[in-house]
Amino acid sequence: MDYDNPDRILKWLTKKKLEYNAKNLNDFDAVLFYTGGDLEMSAEQKAALLSFVRDDGKGFVGVHSATITFTDWPEYGEMIGGYFDEHPWGTFVAPILVEDPGFPGMQQWPKSFVLKDEIYQIKDFSRDKVRVLMRLDATKLDLNNRAFTARISILR
Protein backbone atom coordinates (compact mmCIF):
# COMPACT_ATOMS: atom_id res chain seq x y z
CA MET A 1 0.00 0.00 0.00
CA ASP A 2 1.16 3.53 -0.75
CA TYR A 3 1.21 4.99 2.76
CA ASP A 4 2.56 8.33 1.51
CA ASN A 5 -0.66 8.87 -0.44
CA PRO A 6 -3.59 9.52 1.93
CA ASP A 7 -6.03 9.32 -0.98
CA ARG A 8 -5.04 5.66 -1.45
CA ILE A 9 -5.95 4.91 2.17
CA LEU A 10 -9.04 7.08 2.44
CA LYS A 11 -10.67 5.90 -0.77
CA TRP A 12 -11.57 2.61 0.92
CA LEU A 13 -13.28 4.09 3.98
CA THR A 14 -16.97 3.38 3.69
CA LYS A 15 -20.13 2.81 5.72
CA LYS A 16 -21.42 0.51 3.01
CA LYS A 17 -21.36 -3.26 3.23
CA LEU A 18 -18.09 -4.45 1.76
CA GLU A 19 -18.52 -7.16 -0.84
CA TYR A 20 -15.27 -8.98 -0.39
CA ASN A 21 -13.81 -12.40 -0.89
CA ALA A 22 -10.39 -14.02 -0.59
CA LYS A 23 -9.27 -12.55 -3.92
CA ASN A 24 -10.09 -8.89 -3.34
CA LEU A 25 -8.97 -8.85 0.30
CA ASN A 26 -5.45 -9.05 -1.13
CA ASP A 27 -5.83 -5.36 -2.02
CA PHE A 28 -5.78 -4.45 1.68
CA ASP A 29 -3.29 -4.55 4.54
CA ALA A 30 -5.97 -4.42 7.22
CA VAL A 31 -9.71 -4.50 7.75
CA LEU A 32 -11.42 -2.31 10.36
CA PHE A 33 -14.78 -3.13 11.94
CA TYR A 34 -16.73 -0.44 13.81
CA THR A 35 -19.78 -2.63 13.89
CA GLY A 36 -22.33 -4.33 16.10
CA GLY A 37 -24.57 -7.37 15.84
CA ASP A 38 -24.42 -9.99 13.13
CA LEU A 39 -23.22 -8.77 9.77
CA GLU A 40 -24.35 -10.19 6.45
CA MET A 41 -21.38 -12.41 5.69
CA SER A 42 -21.44 -15.80 4.04
CA ALA A 43 -19.43 -18.75 5.35
CA GLU A 44 -16.99 -18.16 2.47
CA GLN A 45 -16.51 -14.51 3.46
CA LYS A 46 -15.99 -15.44 7.11
CA ALA A 47 -13.37 -18.02 6.10
CA ALA A 48 -11.68 -15.42 3.86
CA LEU A 49 -11.51 -12.91 6.73
CA LEU A 50 -10.01 -15.47 9.11
CA SER A 51 -7.48 -16.57 6.49
CA PHE A 52 -6.61 -12.91 5.76
CA VAL A 53 -5.62 -12.45 9.41
CA ARG A 54 -4.34 -15.89 10.43
CA ASP A 55 -2.70 -17.20 7.27
CA ASP A 56 -1.71 -14.02 5.43
CA GLY A 57 -0.67 -12.13 8.56
CA LYS A 58 -2.75 -9.10 7.63
CA GLY A 59 -4.38 -6.78 10.13
CA PHE A 60 -7.76 -6.70 11.81
CA VAL A 61 -8.84 -3.67 13.83
CA GLY A 62 -11.97 -3.89 15.96
CA VAL A 63 -13.15 -0.51 17.19
CA HIS A 64 -15.40 -0.08 20.26
CA SER A 65 -18.65 -1.90 19.39
CA ALA A 66 -16.84 -4.49 17.27
CA THR A 67 -16.78 -6.60 20.46
CA ILE A 68 -20.57 -6.96 20.22
CA THR A 69 -20.33 -8.23 16.65
CA PHE A 70 -20.71 -11.91 15.71
CA THR A 71 -21.32 -13.06 19.28
CA ASP A 72 -22.32 -16.51 17.96
CA TRP A 73 -19.12 -16.95 15.90
CA PRO A 74 -16.40 -18.27 18.27
CA GLU A 75 -13.53 -17.76 15.80
CA TYR A 76 -14.37 -14.07 15.56
CA GLY A 77 -14.42 -13.77 19.35
CA GLU A 78 -11.02 -15.41 19.51
CA MET A 79 -9.67 -13.10 16.80
CA ILE A 80 -10.94 -9.93 18.50
CA GLY A 81 -9.86 -11.09 21.96
CA GLY A 82 -13.26 -11.53 23.64
CA TYR A 83 -16.75 -10.10 23.68
CA PHE A 84 -18.44 -7.14 25.35
CA ASP A 85 -19.45 -7.87 28.94
CA GLU A 86 -20.40 -4.48 30.36
CA HIS A 87 -19.16 -0.92 30.83
CA PRO A 88 -18.94 -0.87 34.62
CA TRP A 89 -17.88 2.76 34.90
CA GLY A 90 -20.25 4.18 32.27
CA THR A 91 -18.79 7.18 30.46
CA PHE A 92 -15.94 8.55 32.57
CA VAL A 93 -12.51 10.12 32.42
CA ALA A 94 -10.52 6.94 31.84
CA PRO A 95 -6.89 6.76 33.02
CA ILE A 96 -4.94 5.08 30.21
CA LEU A 97 -1.43 3.65 30.08
CA VAL A 98 0.47 2.94 26.87
CA GLU A 99 1.79 -0.54 27.46
CA ASP A 100 3.67 -1.05 24.18
CA PRO A 101 5.15 2.32 23.14
CA GLY A 102 7.42 0.68 20.57
CA PHE A 103 4.51 -0.48 18.41
CA PRO A 104 3.95 1.68 15.29
CA GLY A 105 1.16 4.12 15.98
CA MET A 106 1.80 4.27 19.72
CA GLN A 107 4.74 6.71 19.57
CA GLN A 108 2.53 9.81 19.41
CA TRP A 109 0.78 8.92 22.67
CA PRO A 110 2.16 9.99 26.06
CA LYS A 111 2.99 7.18 28.48
CA SER A 112 -0.19 7.95 30.40
CA PHE A 113 -3.17 10.14 29.64
CA VAL A 114 -6.91 10.41 30.23
CA LEU A 115 -9.76 10.07 27.77
CA LYS A 116 -13.46 10.61 28.41
CA ASP A 117 -15.11 7.52 26.98
CA GLU A 118 -17.36 4.57 27.63
CA ILE A 119 -14.82 1.79 28.18
CA TYR A 120 -15.97 -1.76 27.55
CA GLN A 121 -15.15 -4.60 29.90
CA ILE A 122 -14.48 -7.75 27.89
CA LYS A 123 -15.49 -11.30 28.84
CA ASP A 124 -13.39 -14.31 27.84
CA PHE A 125 -10.35 -12.03 27.56
CA SER A 126 -6.87 -13.48 27.93
CA ARG A 127 -3.63 -11.51 27.75
CA ASP A 128 -1.95 -14.73 26.60
CA LYS A 129 -3.78 -14.54 23.25
CA VAL A 130 -3.28 -10.88 22.32
CA ARG A 131 -0.69 -8.12 22.40
CA VAL A 132 -1.95 -5.28 24.59
CA LEU A 133 -1.03 -1.83 23.29
CA MET A 134 -2.96 0.33 25.78
CA ARG A 135 -4.86 -0.44 28.97
CA LEU A 136 -6.68 1.20 31.81
CA ASP A 137 -4.56 2.15 34.79
CA ALA A 138 -6.07 -0.15 37.45
CA THR A 139 -4.39 1.82 40.25
CA LYS A 140 -6.69 4.76 39.45
CA LEU A 141 -9.98 2.84 39.14
CA ASP A 142 -12.70 1.88 41.56
CA LEU A 143 -12.49 -1.89 41.27
CA ASN A 144 -15.02 -2.72 43.99
CA ASN A 145 -17.17 -5.63 42.85
CA ARG A 146 -15.71 -5.49 39.35
CA ALA A 147 -13.80 -8.11 37.41
CA PHE A 148 -10.97 -6.19 35.76
CA THR A 149 -10.39 -7.20 32.15
CA ALA A 150 -10.48 -3.81 30.45
CA ARG A 151 -7.92 -3.29 27.73
CA ILE A 152 -8.07 -0.31 25.46
CA SER A 153 -6.12 -1.39 22.43
CA ILE A 154 -4.85 -4.81 21.39
CA LEU A 155 -3.04 -6.32 18.47
CA ARG A 156 -3.93 -9.69 17.06
Side-chain angles (χ1 to χ4, degrees):
M1 177 173 275
D2 181 4
Y3 293 102
D4 295 326
N5 181 354
D7 293 334
R8 169 79 172 110
I9 296 169
L10 295 178
K11 89 178 217 182
W12 294 106
L13 293 178
T14 181
K15 291 182 180 181
K16 296 178 183 175
K17 179 182 166 194
L18 179 61
E19 296 293 339
Y20 67 86
N21 55 46
K23 183 178 178 182
N24 66 13
L25 273 177
N26 288 329
D27 295 337
F28 301 94
D29 293 322
V31 173
L32 181 139
F33 277 21
Y34 186 22
T35 55
D38 287 329
L39 306 179
E40 295 180 33
M41 287 178 61
S42 68
E44 178 186 356
Q45 289 174 315
K46 288 179 178 181
L49 177 62
L50 291 176
S51 178
F52 175 80
V53 175
R54 291 178 179 167
D55 302 332
D56 299 341
K58 300 282 186 107
F60 177 81
V61 180
V63 178
H64 196 62
S65 58
T67 59
I68 58 173
T69 301
F70 290 126
T71 56
D72 293 326
W73 182 22
E75 294 87 355
Y76 177 84
E78 183 179 312
M79 179 176 66
I80 200 165
Y83 287 110
F84 170 81
D85 186 32
E86 63 175 315
H87 21 68
W89 305 280
T91 299
F92 75 115
V93 178
I96 298 173
L97 295 174
V98 174
E99 190 164 306
D100 191 351
F103 183 80
M106 293 292 108
Q107 292 89 3
Q108 73 271 16
W109 297 98
K111 182 177 178 175
S112 65
F113 61 99
V114 295
L115 175 70
K116 186 173 183 175
D117 200 357
E118 169 193 63
I119 304 296
Y120 281 17
Q121 179 169 283
I122 305 299
K123 62 183 170 185
D124 302 324
F125 173 73
S126 170
R127 291 180 69 91
D128 297 334
K129 296 181 179 180
V130 296
R131 181 174 173 182
V132 176
L133 303 177
M134 294 180 182
R135 66 175 169 85
L136 290 176
D137 183 350
T139 67
K140 297 180 180 177
L141 295 174
D142 177 7
L143 298 178
N144 293 329
N145 302 316
R146 305 270 188 231
F148 182 67
T149 58
R151 86 277 199 255
I152 303 300
S153 181
I154 65 162
L155 173 66
R156 186 79 183 150

